[in-house]
Structure formats: C-alpha cells, structure tokens
Amino acid sequence: MQFTVLTLFPEILRAYFDTSIMAKAIKKGIISCVLVNIRDFAHDKHHTCDDSPYGGGAGQLMMAEPLGEALESVNARKKRVLHVTPSGKPFTQKTARELSEEDELVIICGRYEGIDQRIIDMYVDDEISIGDYVLSSGEVAAEVVIDAVYRLIDGVISVESLEEESYSDGLLEYPQFTRPHVYKGIAVPDVLLSGNHEEIRKWRLQKRLAKTIANRPDMIAAARNAGVLSTEAEKMIEEITGQVLLKRQKK
C-alpha cells in the first residue's frame, strides 16, 4: 500500500515513516510513502497557502488553489482521498480494516481553521475524525489513521498478534505480564505460570470482559446485538456484574 500525504509540514511525518515497524515495512516493500509539500504549489514568493475566510471569523483557512494543484499532481481524482478533521465521521477499527484493503490512500492534513470547502466537495471521499476534540496539527491525526491502517496489512504484524487485540472481536484486550515474576511486591497471576492453556484462556476472557464492562460497556451491548458473545462469556458477565453490584452495596 502507498500512503500519499499532503501537508504543509512534511518533516513532522518524515520522522514517523523513518522509524520503528513502519520503517521495516517500507524496507520490505510492503508499504511506501509519498510526502507532498503543499507549499510547493503556491504561486507567490512567500509560498502562501492560507487566507482569511469569507464572511469573517477568527483564524485562517487553507486556500483552494495550492491544495487543489497538489491533489492534481498525485492524480487524486482516481484515488481514495481522506481528510482528517474534527467534523468527520468517527474513526474506528472497522474503518481501519476497510482502508487497509486499498492500494493507495491520499490523506490531506488540515491546518488553521481547516480547508476550503470546494476542495472537500471536489476531491474528498471520506472525512475522518480521530476523536471528539480539536488538534492544531492535521499531521498528528494523519499519523493516527496511518498507524491504525498499516499494521493490518499482510506481512506487517503477525496474524496471532492481531487476533486478541482490543476491538478485534468486540472486546478490549486482557492484561499482560512479563519478567520479573515479582515487581515491587506484586506477583504475576499464578494462572499464567500454570501451563494450563484452558485455564489461561478462561482467565483472559474473564479479564477482557471485566475491562470492557468497566471502560466500554457500550461495546458489550454492541457485541450482544451482533451475536458474538458465547454462552460462556454471558455467564462470566453475570458473575462480573454481580460482583460489582455486591461491592457497591457494601460501600
């Protein structure tokens, strides 16, 4: 897959593509990246890419002409174009999986108060929000989207590592431990040292359910509606919620 990113600050993204698992994926030829500096398409000596919005209001807006020319330079009309923006649709693991099937993604990094609406209307296929908050840097939001997508591409990360991650099957991930056995008086749970794979499986499922109930109860409801919870899981949920209610009553 190729990630083509249009940005005013390519240096922010360059460090990301040059490090860690992403750098290894690029070296293997699984991923490629193209960073397009929007300022290269500005026509004045100052490389101006922003101006005041029509109708008044605070801040500056990214201009249509430089951004439009940058998009044309990468043949964006024939590719899937994303715009990362707080006003977009929520970005989810399901969206990441869908995007990971594409051959190329073109991502527009906004700045200031955003980009001219005509660019959105003419070029953008998906407006994506990474959360209900506002960032000053579209580059940071683009990195989040890219990171969630590229790790799902075959050959980047082992299938086993992806199977029980948070959101992989409607639940959050279970707690994990490594050496040392005892850290500041706290020992690794005995079940994980038992070698009993069935007991370990049950323990991990119970912990996944407990964490999801505590942090994201909406995901439990969604999993039930989707019919992905087993009879075993439903029984564990009853036990967990019963224990929580008992603790509350004691308080």
Side-chain angles (χ1 to χ4, degrees):
M1 170 185 274
Q2 176 168 305
F3 293 100
T4 301
V5 188
L6 280 62
T7 170
L8 295 173
F9 300 95
E11 59 274 13
I12 294 176
L13 290 141
R14 192 169 291 116
Y16 167 75
F17 282 110
D18 288 344
T19 56
S20 192
I21 300 173
M22 172 60 84
K24 293 178 182 178
I26 290 175
K27 188 175 182 180
K28 290 179 181 177
I30 302 170
I31 305 295
S32 64
C33 70
V34 174
L35 300 178
V36 179
N37 191 335
I38 301 166
R39 295 187 191 279
D40 292 342
F41 298 87
H43 296 290
D44 67 323
K45 65 179 181 179
H46 300 294
H47 302 287
T48 304
C49 291
D50 62 287
D51 206 342
S52 302
Y54 282 119
Q60 298 286 95
L61 199 66
M62 289 178 65
M63 298 163 62
E65 287 180 335
L67 184 49
E69 289 188 26
L71 286 160
E72 289 292 342
S73 76
V74 299
N75 203 20
R77 293 179 190 270
K78 296 183 179 180
K79 299 170 184 177
R80 189 160 182 178
V81 180
L82 314 181
H83 174 221
V84 283
T85 168
S87 60
K89 294 180 180 179
F91 183 60
T92 65
Q93 189 72 7
K94 181 180 179 182
T95 308
R97 287 196 195 97
E98 177 194 338
L99 294 176
S100 71
E101 300 296 324
E102 297 286 336
D103 292 327
E104 180 178 354
L105 294 175
V106 177
I107 304 177
I108 301 171
C109 299
R111 279 272 168 170
Y112 318 118
E113 295 300 310
I115 67 177
D116 191 297
Q117 182 64 37
R118 289 167 290 188
I119 292 294
I120 297 171
D121 294 341
M122 293 174 65
Y123 294 96
V124 173
D125 299 300
D126 306 276
E127 291 188 273
I128 291 177
S129 168
I130 63 168
D132 295 341
Y133 48 86
V134 178
L135 299 172
S136 61
S137 169
E139 289 74 19
V140 173
E143 287 179 354
V144 169
V145 172
I146 293 167
D147 200 276
V149 171
Y150 93 94
R151 61 195 307 280
L152 298 175
I153 297 170
D154 288 345
V156 175
I157 295 176
S158 68
V159 175
E160 293 79 8
S161 295
L162 298 173
E163 283 180 347
E164 292 187 335
E165 287 187 324
S166 294
Y167 309 106
S168 61
D169 59 358
L171 300 175
L172 300 180
E173 192 172 11
Y174 50 78
Q176 303 226 41
F177 302 84
T178 187
R179 293 183 295 176
H181 176 205
V182 179
Y183 174 69
K184 293 189 176 181
I186 303 173
V188 174
D190 290 338
V191 65
L192 298 179
L193 307 173
S194 68
N196 188 324
H197 297 295
E198 178 60 14
E199 289 302 314
I200 291 172
R201 182 196 66 79
K202 290 179 180 178
W203 181 88
R204 285 176 169 172
L205 176 58
Q206 193 271 342
K207 292 299 181 182
R208 295 185 78 197
L209 290 165
K211 190 167 189 176
T212 308
I213 289 168
N215 294 348
R216 291 291 305 273
D218 58 302
M219 289 177 61
I220 295 290
R224 278 177 170 157
N225 290 337
V228 298
L229 290 179
S230 64
T231 302
E232 179 187 34
E234 289 287 6
K235 185 176 180 180
M236 286 183 179
I237 290 172
E238 289 182 14
E239 293 172 353
I240 293 164
T241 53
Q243 291 169 4
V244 171
L245 289 173
L246 185 60
K247 286 181 181 179
R248 288 175 180 173
Q249 289 171 359
K250 287 181 177 180
K251 289 181 179 180

